[in-house]
Structures are given as structure tokens and as C-alpha cells.
Amino acid sequence: MITGAPETIDGQDHLVLTRTFRAPIQDVWAALTESERLGRWFATWTGDPSTGRVQVTWAFEEDMPTEPYLVEVCEEPTRLRVRNENDDPTQVWTLDLRLAEEAGVTTLRFAQVLTDRSLVTDVGPGWEYYLDRLEESVRTGETATTGWDGYLARSGEYAAAFGLPDDERQTAT
């Protein structure tokens, strides 16, 4: 079952996923922004974020290069908006993460701009995987062990949720 949903924000299509954590907002913020903590579930970064630019190296993908990311908004501990630089506009990923805490529970609202709606059949299952890894890492304080198996099978659900025509839907096995 998918947890992501389509949403139009400022006239742009987005994939939006929400996760909750029984953890203080500062702990979840650290898991999203500190290179070592981020590396436990997603990627590491190098550079000086105060310059507005870092180099991100994906840790759990094959053949993923290090790529530059621009920090567009950083409002500790509630909002982070970043995007990668890429010559192919369909490969520019703008991510907007918002955190809120109430009664010891922190909620993450994760949104990605979709430059091409059909990409959701890949990125939807991908973010499900990574956000499950984030949950595990925050809960255990360790590097996540959640594996990829089964996530791609959610592609068809994402296609349906985003209203993609049948010929654009991937059939995962």
C-alpha cells in the first residue's frame, strides 16, 4: 500500500508523503541534515551548507554519482528545501521537507516537485523505501537495514493514484 499522494502546490504537481516519529523535532531534523545521520538512511554530503550548495553522494543506489544540491530554504528545525543541479530538466529534483512537533510526536511532510508526472512510478516507491529507512534509523539510532525488495511493486498503485493512462503504468513483478 502506498503512502504518497498527488498534490498541486503553487501550480506544480507534487508527490507528498507524510511520516510520523516518536522523537523530538531536533532529532528528526538532525537525521535529515547532518551528513553522518543522513548517511544512515539515504546519502552523505560534503561542503559548507551556509554557502547554499553541497555535494550529495547517494549511499544506497548503484551507479549514482555525487551531485551538487542547492539549499534553497533552511529554517531549522522546521523546513528544508533543496534541489539538485542537472542539465536535464526532467532530472531536477526539488524536495521540500517540513517538520512539526506536537506532544512528543514529530511529523515530516515530504514533497517532491514532479517535472514529469510519469516519474512517480519510480520516485514514489523510491521515497517509500527511503522514508521507511529514515523511520528505522530515527527509531534505532543506527544505519537502516530495510531492503529494497517489494517496493517497486508499488509502481502500479502510484500510477493509478496519479491518474496515469494505462500505457504509462509500469507492471512490477
Side-chain angles (χ1 to χ4, degrees), residues 18-31:
T18 303
R19 293 290 194 275
T20 57
F21 305 84
R22 292 208 169 278
I25 195 170
Q26 289 291 353
D27 188 39
V28 179
W29 178 261

Side-chain angles (χ1 to χ4, degrees), residues 89-129:
T90 66
Q91 296 302 310
V92 173
W93 290 24
T94 302
L95 310 173
D96 194 350
L97 291 68
R98 296 173 189 246
L99 295 170
E101 181 181 6
E102 185 175 327
V105 175
T106 299
T107 300
L108 167 64
R109 184 176 186 279
F110 180 99
Q112 177 180 348
V113 174
L114 293 175
T115 53
D116 176 348
R117 254 177 112 81
S118 69
L119 295 176
V120 76
T121 59
D122 290 325
V123 299
W127 287 123
E128 296 274 3
Y129 164 71

Side-chain angles (χ1 to χ4, degrees), residues 42-46 53-58 61 63-70 83-88 91-93 95 127:
F42 175 61
T44 58
W45 59 264
T46 57
R53 184 184 174 117
V54 294
Q55 296 291 320
V56 173
T57 303
W58 291 54
E61 297 280 333
D63 302 322
M64 284 299 296
T66 297
E67 59 184 341
Y69 269 75
L70 302 175
R83 72 175 166 80
N84 67 323
E85 292 183 319
N86 195 302
D87 293 335
D88 178 353
Q91 296 302 310
V92 173
W93 290 24
L95 310 173
W127 287 123

